[in-house]
Structures are given as structure tokens and as C-alpha cells.
Amino acid sequence: MEQLKMIILYLIFWPSIQLMGLLLFRVKPQLYLRHLIISTIVLTQTSYFMQTYKIVFLMTILNPVVLLLCFWLFYRLKIIQSLLMATLAFGLNVVLESSFNLLLAQFNYIEFIHISRNDYFLQGLVLTSINYFIAVLLYSYRIGFTFATSNQIIRQKAFPKKLLLMVILGWIPIMLTSLTIAYFSEIIMLAITITFFALIFILHLSHEKEMTE
């Protein structure tokens, strides 16, 4: 029963994070329903595999990589755009989940670590709801960047080196989150804080690029 609950959760969570990522870059999701379904199946299988074989400490390592590959291979976005989209969408969820766990623990650090290591279902439901809410806001108010495209013919300005470097560096704290929770709990808040500021800086640099398009 527990496994079925997690599968259902993954099947509603992964579309939410993809939709948020797509709409953040003004990519019309209705044009990519088939891609979204295929990506959701792949991502769900990946998450279920890690949950089943008790390797959840790899969650923030494998999941963002698979999400990146889905944006690149299935949605046919350019690799740099896929990297940026996966970083922002997944990184935001890492920060939101940690913030929610901290609230559940009433800012008790030991309890926060315990919740982060052992509780997943409630957090997944909350993150899914937040993702869909953000996606609705982005779609309704036409908020987002416009420099991501799956059209390989359209020539675009090169990504600024600062933005590319920041996106790559931003992956480091994101991917280390689950490892720090499992094995290096004393630095988990440092990893989350670095991730948060990395996301802010990436959004700022993305806005600068948007202004030059």
C-alpha cells in the first residue's frame, strides 16, 4: 500500500515540476503532452527504483540528471536551456521542501534532520500543490523568460558565461543535498542556503539575458 501511494505521488509530482519549468520559460505545455507523459513515466520509475532499493540518498543526484535528460532528449530543448530549466525547477523544490521540513520541526534542528530522512509523502503533496500553483500563476500572468526554445533553426545569442558558470556551480549544492541529509547533517543548512542564493543569482542573470534578447 505504501509503495502504491508513492507511485501515485510521483505520477502527480513530476508533471508539476515539469510544467513549472516549462512555464517559467514560456514554453507552451499543451504542445508537449506526449513528451510530458513519457518524461513522467521515466522520472517516476527512477524515483520508485531509489525508494524501493533504499538509495534515497541519491535522490538529489539522479533525479535532476534524469530531469535534465528529459528536457533535452524528449522536449528537444537545447542542452544549456535544459540545464537551466532543470536547475531552477528542481532547485526550487529542494529549497521549498527543506523550508517546509524546518517548519514541521518547529525549527528544531534534530527533528528537522529526522523528518528530512524519514518523511516523504506529506512533503511530496505540499510540493506538488505549490508547483501547480506557481505554474498557474506563470501561465495566467504570462510571467517568465522567452529565450528557451525547442526550435533548432532559430539562432540565439550565446549564453553569458556568468550565467552558464552559475548554473553549473548551482548544481553542486543541489546534488549534495540528499547526501548531506544522510551522512553530513551538520552542513545541510549550509547546502540549502547556498542553493537558495544560487537560484536567486541564476534568476537575476536570466533576467539580464532576457533584457538583451
Side-chain angles (χ1 to χ4, degrees), residues 159-175:
F159 265 58
K161 291 182 179 179
K162 283 194 304 183
L163 175 56
L164 181 57
L165 178 62
M166 195 64 227
V167 171
I168 294 173
L169 291 177
W171 268 61
I172 298 175
I174 291 173
M175 297 181 76

Side-chain angles (χ1 to χ4, degrees), residues 33-59:
L33 291 180
R34 179 168 58 89
H35 311 76
L36 188 146
I37 292 171
I38 295 173
S39 298
T40 297
I41 292 172
V42 172
L43 288 159
T44 296
Q45 288 177 329
T46 303
S47 298
Y48 180 71
F49 174 83
M50 287 186 284
Q51 195 82 36
T52 301
Y53 289 94
K54 309 298 182 182
I55 51 173
V56 291
F57 60 89
L58 296 178
M59 279 282 190

Side-chain angles (χ1 to χ4, degrees), residues 3-145:
Q3 291 181 333
L4 179 60
K5 282 171 55 180
M6 295 308 298
I7 291 174
I8 294 174
L9 176 62
Y10 293 140
L11 288 172
I12 61 173
F13 170 75
W14 283 117
S16 75
I17 201 170
Q18 291 175 77
L19 285 173
M20 184 178 65
L22 292 171
L23 289 168
L24 183 59
F25 289 89
R26 303 284 293 278
V27 178
K28 296 179 179 179
Q30 59 267 33
L31 300 178
Y32 297 95
L33 291 180
R34 179 168 58 89
H35 311 76
L36 188 146
I37 292 171
I38 295 173
S39 298
T40 297
I41 292 172
V42 172
L43 288 159
T44 296
Q45 288 177 329
T46 303
S47 298
Y48 180 71
F49 174 83
M50 287 186 284
Q51 195 82 36
T52 301
Y53 289 94
K54 309 298 182 182
I55 51 173
V56 291
F57 60 89
L58 296 178
M59 279 282 190
T60 59
I61 296 176
L62 292 182
N63 277 336
V65 171
V66 176
L67 181 62
L68 161 65
L69 292 175
C70 287
F71 282 138
W72 182 37
L73 298 176
F74 298 144
Y75 289 91
R76 307 294 293 176
L77 296 169
K78 295 179 180 179
I79 182 65
I80 298 177
Q81 296 170 346
S82 301
L83 180 64
L84 176 59
M85 195 176 290
T87 301
L88 287 173
F90 194 87
L92 177 60
N93 275 258
V94 168
V95 173
L96 287 174
E97 180 180 4
S98 298
S99 301
F100 181 66
N101 286 341
L102 198 58
L103 287 174
L104 284 179
Q106 298 181 339
F107 300 96
N108 182 304
Y109 194 75
I110 296 176
E111 183 65 17
F112 165 73
I113 298 300
H114 175 76
I115 291 173
S116 298
R117 287 175 175 173
N118 299 288
D119 298 336
Y120 304 103
F121 190 76
L122 177 61
Q123 288 85 337
L125 287 178
V126 171
L127 288 177
T128 299
S129 301
I130 293 175
N131 288 341
Y132 280 122
F133 178 71
I134 293 175
V136 169
L137 287 180
L138 293 171
Y139 183 80
S140 300
Y141 294 96
R142 300 180 62 82
I143 302 169
F145 308 109

